[in-house]
Amino acid sequence: MSAVDTMTRPLVAAEGIVKRYGPTVALRDGRLTVVPGESHALVGRNGAGKSTLVSILTGLQAPDAGTVSFDGEAAPPLADRDAWRRKVACVYQKPTVVPGLTVAENLFINRQPTGRGGFISWRRMQARAAELLDTWDVRVAPEAITAELKVEDRQLVEIARALSFGARFIILDEPTAQLDNREIERLFDRMRSLQESGVTFLFISHHLQEVYEVCQTVTVLRDARWITTAPVADLPRAALVEAMAGEAVAGETAAGETAAESGAVARPAPPADAPLRLDVRGLTGAGGVFGDVDLTIRRGEVVGLAGSSGSGKIELAESLAGLHTPTAGQAELDGVRLPFGDVSAALRAGVGCVPRDRHEQGLVSGMTIGDNATMSVLDRLGRYGLVGTTAKRSFARDLIQRLDIHAEGPEQPVSDLSGGNAQKVVMARALARDPRLLVLINPTAGVDVKSKESLLARVDSARDDGTAVLVVSDELDDLRRCDRVLVLFHGRVVAEHPAGWNDHELIASIEGVDRG
């Protein structure tokens, strides 16, 4: 085979990938072709199929249909993990190195060089680590404790470990989410240097400006399908957002097209003189996950909070619900300062919350619907710490009826419910205390269409009741219920969209694309 053929033959090729999880189709037509020595971007909104494709490219699961090949050869069997390590490695947003071990120990974990008697040769391991780090110009000491390294250096250690197996195809999954601008630029410099040494990258990021800075080719997934692959230089930013959003960007709403068809539905805003319920000033999260955030919500107003996975939007919402303690700033609800770092105190202060994960944070699976739904109001259902069974059952029945929870009754185990009905129980508990501030984090995640509409109807009801509502979601349909949507980017509020926004406008802000 000629040198020209070797350079033009794809290093990685995935064709016609299909992956189902029960009735859910995670990928229906996944495609990817990566040529040697490039940085290739894989972009798409949450739910587009990126994570599923990566799990297949790294051999964590097999596709239901389609093929994956490396350098013209079929992918190894799933059970042959060593063969997969020689082909590909993924460096995730959260480093997988063991923090308490040294750099050398992490580089050669489970394959330490041995000496006499089969004991680990620490001297040889240090020497091999130094050689490996020098080969790939990773400037950290082999004896350094990994936990003491910067995030960018921990990522480079993971890349060096992957390269030591022989892999020359590295997947970087949201590598900049925890880095500041200076660290991001250093990481990109190292990527360019490694490319010159023959390393190929698949770069996954929600920040589209990074795609234009470091990548040569981009592939777009949308709705579990391949949409396009194109040279980055030939794809204007507006066209890239269009491919991700599925609608035209260059021309605004077509003649005769309604706002509901093109984007969010404009709703009557609450009166400008409506009382201010939530007033957030200069709020800054631990570790700078969000910073200097100002946010207001009036009585009867629904405000959306959008952003990528590393934007800080969830941490900000959780702070208002009492889960975290910010390092600076304050928040007042009806003029009274909110307590931070104390969920019970936040409940008493008038905050109701639907957390981001109903399984881990929202429900106690071994308890009944009634127990889960009334957990936040037990102090109102009895005296001296004793809860009346009749009172609790009656209160739970009212919540079941109010939220249209399809169940046999309050005594049914919550674990028996469908995803939609289980989420309604979480919503019921959030509403049980008649909160003045309702914080909803991914409120319709993993529910069917009918349940989704029922849950969103509760947002409208809360608005009508005068509640201040904060909706944090990756789903555009959730954000369409909002009177306005704020966008966080790298922990800062960078845009505000009034009701009536178009999808491409919001997505452009979320992805950090300058449309001006």
Side-chain angles (χ1 to χ4, degrees), residues 13 147 172 209 235 237 241 278 299 320 357 378 420 432 445:
L172 300 178
Q209 86 282 0
L235 195 65
R237 298 190 183 200
V241 174
L278 178 68
R299 178 184 174 89
L320 297 175
D357 188 323
L378 294 179

Side-chain angles (χ1 to χ4, degrees), residues 7 61 66-67 96 120 136 196 209 213 260 379 404 444 467 472 482-483 503:
M7 290 303 295
Q61 57 184 340
T67 60
T96 59
I120 294 174
W136 298 108
E196 293 173 358
Q209 86 282 0
E213 186 172 349
D379 59 326
D404 191 28
T444 66
T467 306
V472 183
C482 301
D483 299 300
D503 290 5

Side-chain angles (χ1 to χ4, degrees), residues 80-151:
D80 192 347
R81 298 313 305 166
D82 287 340
W84 279 96
R85 291 188 185 99
R86 290 192 293 269
K87 302 289 187 185
V88 58
C90 185
V91 178
Y92 295 95
Q93 178 178 333
K94 295 182 179 179
T96 59
V97 289
V98 181
L101 299 182
T102 66
V103 169
E105 289 169 328
N106 269 290
L107 290 172
F108 294 100
I109 194 166
N110 293 330
R111 54 188 181 122
Q112 299 91 336
T114 57
R116 291 181 180 179
F119 294 105
I120 294 174
S121 174
W122 299 103
R123 181 181 58 80
R124 289 174 59 195
M125 185 167 67
Q126 290 285 106
R128 287 189 183 181
E131 182 181 2
L132 176 64
L133 295 168
D134 183 63
T135 298
W136 298 108
D137 196 24
V138 178
R139 301 183 185 93
V140 297
E143 66 274 11
I145 301 299
T146 309
E148 298 174 359
L149 299 180
K150 297 177 181 177
V151 174

